Amino acid sequence: MSHINTKTEQRARRHRRIRAKVVGTAVRPRLSVFRSNKGMYAQLIDDETGRTLIGGSTLKLTGKGTAEKAKELGRLLAEKAKEKKVESAVFDRGGYMFAGAVKAVAEGAREGGLKF
């Protein structure tokens, strides 16, 4: 019998591969995205010090669909980043496909003025 990977294990493996290449700094933090069954979470992380600079979720946002809420989350994160004088970031899709809600977070952040 061959080795069987669950979806969770496959995503974790993809995420490890991405994290080997994507590193956030204080000047250019990592925009990390996490999807759960209830909502989406995104945060800007400085990997050098191991600190989360800004975080947010779609739980308290109002909107029609998941992607719409995700886009709003991206915009809010970009606004908070501007207040902390952060202009660019590196995008960490967290092992998820760059489509749907994950893509919407990126688009919202770009619209809000964050560069990556």
Side-chain angles (χ1 to χ4, degrees):
M1 193 166 142
S2 65
H3 189 269
I4 300 167
N5 289 321
T6 64
K7 277 186 173 186
T8 312
E9 288 168 343
Q10 288 172 340
R11 187 191 76 78
R13 185 179 259 175
R14 282 191 303 270
H15 194 197
R16 277 196 301 274
R17 242 186 350 255
I18 293 163
R19 287 289 292 116
K21 298 168 187 152
V22 176
V23 178
T25 63
V27 179
R28 195 164 181 209
R30 174 169 57 99
L31 173 53
S32 176
V33 175
F34 175 73
R35 285 171 35 184
S36 76
N37 289 338
K38 290 187 177 182
M40 288 207 57
Y41 303 83
Q43 48 187 308
L44 287 171
I45 304 166
D46 174 6
D47 288 316
E48 290 175 337
T49 58
R51 290 181 49 222
T52 298
L53 307 173
I54 302 158
S57 76
T58 58
L59 298 180
K60 292 179 182 161
L61 297 177
T62 56
K64 289 226 193 265
T66 313
E68 197 175 296
K69 287 181 186 177
K71 199 168 197 173
E72 187 60 32
L73 173 64
R75 270 194 224 107
L76 287 171
L77 231 57
E79 285 171 22
K80 287 181 186 176
K82 273 186 181 174
E83 289 170 18
K84 292 204 173 192
K85 294 180 175 61
V86 174
E87 286 151 29
S88 66
V90 288
F91 192 74
D92 173 10
R93 61 188 174 92
Y96 302 106
M97 281 179 53
F98 188 75
V102 176
K103 187 175 180 181
V105 171
E107 287 171 353
R110 283 189 187 116
E111 282 176 19
L114 208 57
K115 292 182 183 76
F116 49 84

mmCIF file of all heavy atoms in Angstrom, residues 26-44:
data_model
loop_
_atom_site.group_PDB
_atom_site.id
_atom_site.type_symbol
_atom_site.label_atom_id
_atom_site.label_comp_id
_atom_site.label_asym_id
_atom_site.label_seq_id
_atom_site.Cartn_x
_atom_site.Cartn_y
_atom_site.Cartn_z
ATOM 1 N N ALA A 26 11.271 43.491 8.939
ATOM 2 C CA ALA A 26 10.540 44.627 9.513
ATOM 3 C C ALA A 26 10.151 45.617 8.411
ATOM 4 O O ALA A 26 9.070 46.201 8.439
ATOM 5 C CB ALA A 26 11.388 45.318 10.571
ATOM 6 N N VAL A 27 11.029 45.790 7.418
ATOM 7 C CA VAL A 27 10.764 46.714 6.313
ATOM 8 C C VAL A 27 9.768 46.099 5.337
ATOM 9 O O VAL A 27 8.891 46.778 4.822
ATOM 10 C CB VAL A 27 12.076 47.067 5.571
ATOM 11 C CG1 VAL A 27 11.812 48.005 4.410
ATOM 12 C CG2 VAL A 27 13.068 47.673 6.535
ATOM 13 N N ARG A 28 9.913 44.795 5.088
ATOM 14 C CA ARG A 28 9.045 44.090 4.137
ATOM 15 C C ARG A 28 8.516 42.818 4.796
ATOM 16 O O ARG A 28 9.056 41.718 4.603
ATOM 17 C CB ARG A 28 9.850 43.763 2.881
ATOM 18 C CG ARG A 28 8.969 43.369 1.739
ATOM 19 C CD ARG A 28 9.711 43.423 0.430
ATOM 20 N NE ARG A 28 8.753 43.051 -0.602
ATOM 21 C CZ ARG A 28 9.066 42.463 -1.731
ATOM 22 N NH1 ARG A 28 10.302 42.184 -2.001
ATOM 23 N NH2 ARG A 28 8.132 42.157 -2.592
ATOM 24 N N PRO A 29 7.448 42.939 5.599
ATOM 25 C CA PRO A 29 6.932 41.777 6.326
ATOM 26 C C PRO A 29 6.220 40.773 5.414
ATOM 27 O O PRO A 29 5.903 41.072 4.273
ATOM 28 C CB PRO A 29 5.950 42.391 7.323
ATOM 29 C CG PRO A 29 5.559 43.683 6.733
ATOM 30 C CD PRO A 29 6.712 44.150 5.908
ATOM 31 N N ARG A 30 5.988 39.596 5.964
ATOM 32 C CA ARG A 30 5.310 38.529 5.227
ATOM 33 C C ARG A 30 3.814 38.632 5.475
ATOM 34 O O ARG A 30 3.363 38.673 6.616
ATOM 35 C CB ARG A 30 5.850 37.183 5.731
ATOM 36 C CG ARG A 30 5.174 35.957 5.200
ATOM 37 C CD ARG A 30 5.963 34.710 5.548
ATOM 38 N NE ARG A 30 6.182 34.544 6.966
ATOM 39 C CZ ARG A 30 5.455 33.750 7.763
ATOM 40 N NH1 ARG A 30 4.464 33.052 7.274
ATOM 41 N NH2 ARG A 30 5.738 33.646 9.044
ATOM 42 N N LEU A 31 3.031 38.698 4.397
ATOM 43 C CA LEU A 31 1.568 38.715 4.499
ATOM 44 C C LEU A 31 1.099 37.268 4.434
ATOM 45 O O LEU A 31 1.050 36.660 3.377
ATOM 46 C CB LEU A 31 0.948 39.543 3.375
ATOM 47 C CG LEU A 31 -0.582 39.530 3.246
ATOM 48 C CD1 LEU A 31 -1.254 39.891 4.552
ATOM 49 C CD2 LEU A 31 -1.034 40.464 2.153
ATOM 50 N N SER A 32 0.800 36.716 5.605
ATOM 51 C CA SER A 32 0.426 35.311 5.720
ATOM 52 C C SER A 32 -1.092 35.164 5.731
ATOM 53 O O SER A 32 -1.783 35.904 6.426
ATOM 54 C CB SER A 32 1.012 34.744 7.021
ATOM 55 O OG SER A 32 0.600 33.417 7.195
ATOM 56 N N VAL A 33 -1.605 34.201 4.968
ATOM 57 C CA VAL A 33 -3.039 33.968 4.854
ATOM 58 C C VAL A 33 -3.375 32.585 5.400
ATOM 59 O O VAL A 33 -2.673 31.617 5.120
ATOM 60 C CB VAL A 33 -3.492 34.075 3.376
ATOM 61 C CG1 VAL A 33 -4.953 33.712 3.222
ATOM 62 C CG2 VAL A 33 -3.244 35.467 2.849
ATOM 63 N N PHE A 34 -4.448 32.504 6.195
ATOM 64 C CA PHE A 34 -4.929 31.214 6.697
ATOM 65 C C PHE A 34 -6.436 31.134 6.504
ATOM 66 O O PHE A 34 -7.153 32.089 6.804
ATOM 67 C CB PHE A 34 -4.591 31.047 8.186
ATOM 68 C CG PHE A 34 -5.167 29.782 8.772
ATOM 69 C CD1 PHE A 34 -4.619 28.550 8.459
ATOM 70 C CD2 PHE A 34 -6.268 29.828 9.604
ATOM 71 C CE1 PHE A 34 -5.161 27.382 8.974
ATOM 72 C CE2 PHE A 34 -6.815 28.672 10.120
ATOM 73 C CZ PHE A 34 -6.260 27.437 9.810
ATOM 74 N N ARG A 35 -6.884 30.012 5.984
ATOM 75 C CA ARG A 35 -8.319 29.787 5.779
ATOM 76 C C ARG A 35 -8.807 28.749 6.774
ATOM 77 O O ARG A 35 -8.188 27.711 6.941
ATOM 78 C CB ARG A 35 -8.557 29.231 4.371
ATOM 79 C CG ARG A 35 -8.426 30.227 3.283
ATOM 80 C CD ARG A 35 -8.453 29.601 1.905
ATOM 81 N NE ARG A 35 -9.343 28.447 1.832
ATOM 82 C CZ ARG A 35 -9.492 27.681 0.765
ATOM 83 N NH1 ARG A 35 -8.796 27.923 -0.308
ATOM 84 N NH2 ARG A 35 -10.316 26.666 0.770
ATOM 85 N N SER A 36 -9.922 29.049 7.424
ATOM 86 C CA SER A 36 -10.558 28.043 8.280
ATOM 87 C C SER A 36 -11.976 27.850 7.755
ATOM 88 O O SER A 36 -12.386 28.491 6.794
ATOM 89 C CB SER A 36 -10.586 28.510 9.739
ATOM 90 O OG SER A 36 -11.594 29.480 9.937
ATOM 91 N N ASN A 37 -12.726 26.984 8.399
ATOM 92 C CA ASN A 37 -14.103 26.761 7.967
ATOM 93 C C ASN A 37 -14.985 27.961 8.272
ATOM 94 O O ASN A 37 -16.005 28.159 7.632
ATOM 95 C CB ASN A 37 -14.679 25.511 8.634
ATOM 96 C CG ASN A 37 -14.063 24.244 8.079
ATOM 97 O OD1 ASN A 37 -13.534 24.243 6.976
ATOM 98 N ND2 ASN A 37 -14.109 23.179 8.847
ATOM 99 N N LYS A 38 -14.597 28.764 9.261
ATOM 100 C CA LYS A 38 -15.422 29.906 9.658
ATOM 101 C C LYS A 38 -15.030 31.204 8.980
ATOM 102 O O LYS A 38 -15.854 32.084 8.791
ATOM 103 C CB LYS A 38 -15.362 30.097 11.178
ATOM 104 C CG LYS A 38 -16.084 29.011 11.932
ATOM 105 C CD LYS A 38 -16.155 29.327 13.403
ATOM 106 C CE LYS A 38 -16.953 28.268 14.143
ATOM 107 N NZ LYS A 38 -17.075 28.565 15.554
ATOM 108 N N GLY A 39 -13.781 31.376 8.649
ATOM 109 C CA GLY A 39 -13.364 32.632 8.057
ATOM 110 C C GLY A 39 -11.941 32.596 7.556
ATOM 111 O O GLY A 39 -11.308 31.547 7.513
ATOM 112 N N MET A 40 -11.451 33.772 7.200
ATOM 113 C CA MET A 40 -10.072 33.912 6.731
ATOM 114 C C MET A 40 -9.313 34.826 7.685
ATOM 115 O O MET A 40 -9.877 35.775 8.207
ATOM 116 C CB MET A 40 -10.045 34.528 5.333
ATOM 117 C CG MET A 40 -10.523 33.591 4.293
ATOM 118 S SD MET A 40 -9.853 33.881 2.681
ATOM 119 C CE MET A 40 -8.121 33.804 2.898
ATOM 120 N N TYR A 41 -8.055 34.520 7.859
ATOM 121 C CA TYR A 41 -7.210 35.301 8.745
ATOM 122 C C TYR A 41 -5.980 35.710 7.959
ATOM 123 O O TYR A 41 -5.447 34.914 7.180
ATOM 124 C CB TYR A 41 -6.776 34.475 9.958
ATOM 125 C CG TYR A 41 -7.935 33.911 10.744
ATOM 126 C CD1 TYR A 41 -8.560 32.730 10.349
ATOM 127 C CD2 TYR A 41 -8.423 34.565 11.867
ATOM 128 C CE1 TYR A 41 -9.632 32.213 11.048
ATOM 129 C CE2 TYR A 41 -9.495 34.053 12.581
ATOM 130 C CZ TYR A 41 -10.091 32.879 12.169
ATOM 131 O OH TYR A 41 -11.158 32.372 12.869
ATOM 132 N N ALA A 42 -5.527 36.935 8.155
ATOM 133 C CA ALA A 42 -4.309 37.399 7.499
ATOM 134 C C ALA A 42 -3.520 38.235 8.492
ATOM 135 O O ALA A 42 -4.104 38.915 9.334
ATOM 136 C CB ALA A 42 -4.651 38.227 6.263
ATOM 137 N N GLN A 43 -2.203 38.135 8.398
ATOM 138 C CA GLN A 43 -1.368 38.928 9.288
ATOM 139 C C GLN A 43 -0.048 39.271 8.616
ATOM 140 O O GLN A 43 0.424 38.542 7.747
ATOM 141 C CB GLN A 43 -1.145 38.215 10.612
ATOM 142 C CG GLN A 43 -0.739 36.766 10.527
ATOM 143 C CD GLN A 43 -0.711 36.107 11.886
ATOM 144 O OE1 GLN A 43 -0.088 36.623 12.803
ATOM 145 N NE2 GLN A 43 -1.360 34.978 12.022
ATOM 146 N N LEU A 44 0.509 40.403 9.033
ATOM 147 C CA LEU A 44 1.823 40.824 8.570
ATOM 148 C C LEU A 44 2.825 40.436 9.650
ATOM 149 O O LEU A 44 2.688 40.845 10.808
ATOM 150 C CB LEU A 44 1.856 42.330 8.317
ATOM 151 C CG LEU A 44 1.105 42.797 7.080
ATOM 152 C CD1 LEU A 44 1.007 44.312 7.053
ATOM 153 C CD2 LEU A 44 1.762 42.295 5.819
#
